[in-house]
């Protein structure tokens, strides 16, 4: 953790966006007394609107929204991102697409010894940043934590909790987890749509190159009717799950979530060859 002499404890970067404004609201309501919070982004008027809305909505919040400082900067400016990173102990970035707007900020955080988290699910960008910055981040004792959004957290923390339960209660490793989205509500933010547009072609091409033969063989097996998925069967194709007693279909975040959980499983040693697979539940075969 960076030195406590910084001006702020945490800066919410991208605070005018769908997720950033909600994170700012959460901190106003729940951060411990004395936590020094600032909100930031590239557009002063939009950030000011967020601050004013929070002050009007929560006049008696634990942290006064009226007292939140505003930090402005261009995410493409390396010098300004270094200045922003040097102000705070932690930056929580919600400003994507990260492959377009995140690189200078994460580099600045590593250089300025500022801890960092974000909500990206842009795997190619994460791999590039990890390859280039991991050694320096370790040397500077900086924590860089991507994939902290709704996209990844349920799978990531769900598998962690199951692994802990398996160890503590069953004295056994965790070998395989299958997840299913059984319902959700809400919409898709503009930032998420922009990120999807930037990433979909890259990931789809990679996915089909790696998995076409495997998926094709699995699809042939499924033609013979409902059956229970074995531990090694994939969740990419339409199938019937006996445990849930529901038809399953492809879930758009399944590739990213599988990688996220698998990375954690290797690092934290959930079990030998641990794997995670994910799909979405449907009410019928035609819906699937």
């Amino acid at each position: 953790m960076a030195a406590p002499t910084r001006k702020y404890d945490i800066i919410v970067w991208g605070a005018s966006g769908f997720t950033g404004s909600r994170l700012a609201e959460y901190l106003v309501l729940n951060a411990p007394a004395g936590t020094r919070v600032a909100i930031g982004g590239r557009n002063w008027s939009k950030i000011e609107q967020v601050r004013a809305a929070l002050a009007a909505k929560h006049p008696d919040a634990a942290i006064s929204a009226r007292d939140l400082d505003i930090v402005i900067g261009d995410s493409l400016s390396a010098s300004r991102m270094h200045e922003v990173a040097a102000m705070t102990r932690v930056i929580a970035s919600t400003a994507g697409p990260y492959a377009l707007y995140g690189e200078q900020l994460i580099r600045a955080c590593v250089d300025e010894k500022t801890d960092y988290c974000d909500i990206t699910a842009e795997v190619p960008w994460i791999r590039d940043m990890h390859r280039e910055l991991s050694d320096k981040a370790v040397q500077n004792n900086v924590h860089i934590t991507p994939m902290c959004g709704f996209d990844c957290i349920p799978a990531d923390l769900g598998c962690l909790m199951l692994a802990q339960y398996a160890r503590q209660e069953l004295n056994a490793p965790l070998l395989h987890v299958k997840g299913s989205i059984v319902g959700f509500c809400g919409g898709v933010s503009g930032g998420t749509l922009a990120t999807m547009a930037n990433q979909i072609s890259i990931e789809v091409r990679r996915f089909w190159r790696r998995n076409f033969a495997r998926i094709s063989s699995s699809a042939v097996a499924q033609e013979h009717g409902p059956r229970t998925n074995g531990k090694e069967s994939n969740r990419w194709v339409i199938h019937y799950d006996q445990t849930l007693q529901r038809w399953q279909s492809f879930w758009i975040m399944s590739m990213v979530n599988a990688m996220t959980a698998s990375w954690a499983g290797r690092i934290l040693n959930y079990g030998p060859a641990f794997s995670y697979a994910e799909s979405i539940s449907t009410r019928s075969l035609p819906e699937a």
Side-chain angles (χ1 to χ4, degrees):
M1 185 69 73
T5 55
R6 304 289 178 96
K7 185 175 182 180
Y8 305 113
D9 293 309
I10 183 168
I11 292 177
V12 178
W13 191 251
S16 63
F18 180 86
T19 304
S21 61
R22 283 153 181 79
L23 176 56
E25 181 176 28
Y26 178 86
L27 290 172
V28 163
L29 294 174
N30 296 282
T35 304
R36 300 164 298 167
V37 179
I39 54 178
R42 61 183 176 179
N43 188 305
W44 174 278
S45 62
K46 290 183 178 180
I47 303 294
E48 170 58 31
Q49 289 173 14
V50 171
R51 181 170 67 176
L54 289 176
K57 184 177 179 181
H58 304 293
D60 300 319
I63 295 177
S64 172
R66 297 182 189 279
D67 295 335
L68 293 177
D69 283 353
I70 293 177
V71 179
I72 298 300
D74 181 354
S75 293
L76 299 181
S77 169
S79 60
R80 181 54 180 162
M81 291 302 96
H82 275 77
E83 292 172 353
V84 171
M87 297 178 185
T88 184
R89 299 172 63 200
V90 179
I91 286 182
S93 175
T94 63
Y98 292 83
L100 299 179
Y101 303 114
E103 181 173 341
Q104 297 305 328
L105 180 57
I106 196 170
R107 289 184 182 278
C109 286
V110 172
D111 289 342
E112 300 295 337
K113 301 181 180 180
T114 300
D115 290 342
Y116 167 97
C117 62
D118 66 35
I119 58 170
T120 187
E122 298 165 52
V123 174
W125 180 75
I126 294 169
R127 285 175 172 155
D128 289 345
M129 293 297 96
H130 181 271
R131 182 173 56 252
E132 294 183 33
L133 301 175
S134 179
D135 290 345
K136 189 171 185 180
V138 171
Q139 178 182 343
N140 287 349
N141 194 28
V142 177
H143 301 85
I144 304 296
T145 312
M147 294 183 167
C148 295
F150 165 76
D151 294 336
C152 305
I153 286 294
D156 192 7
L157 293 189
C159 289
L160 173 64
M161 294 168 67
L162 287 171
Q164 291 173 337
Y165 178 85
R167 288 195 198 105
Q168 295 168 7
E169 302 296 330
L170 306 176
N171 193 28
L174 188 65
L175 302 180
H176 178 75
V177 175
K178 60 182 180 182
S180 181
I181 309 301
V182 297
F184 59 90
C185 61
V188 179
S189 70
T192 297
L193 289 174
T195 298
M196 290 170 64
N198 192 55
Q199 288 296 306
I200 259 180
S201 62
I202 298 172
E203 285 304 311
V204 166
R205 286 197 300 270
R206 291 183 178 184
F207 170 73
W208 284 112
R209 281 200 300 267
R210 288 196 304 262
N211 295 286
F212 178 76
R214 180 167 59 87
I215 291 175
S216 298
S217 62
S218 298
V220 170
Q222 292 296 332
E223 290 178 0
H224 301 289
R227 58 181 293 178
T228 302
N229 269 20
K231 287 184 177 180
E232 299 304 321
S233 59
N234 65 69
R235 311 283 283 176
W236 310 110
V237 295
I238 294 172
H239 62 278
Y240 189 82
D241 189 288
Q242 292 285 7
T243 304
L244 294 170
Q245 297 186 344
R246 281 188 171 188
W247 285 93
Q248 303 294 303
S249 187
F250 174 77
W251 171 239
I252 192 169
M253 290 303 301
S254 57
M255 292 181 285
V256 171
N257 291 340
M259 285 184 279
T260 304
S262 296
W263 286 343
R266 289 196 297 272
I267 293 169
L268 301 176
N269 192 27
Y270 292 170
F274 166 79
S275 64
Y276 175 79
E278 191 173 76
S279 56
I280 186 169
S281 288
T282 62
R283 290 168 293 186
S284 64
L285 175 58
E287 184 178 306

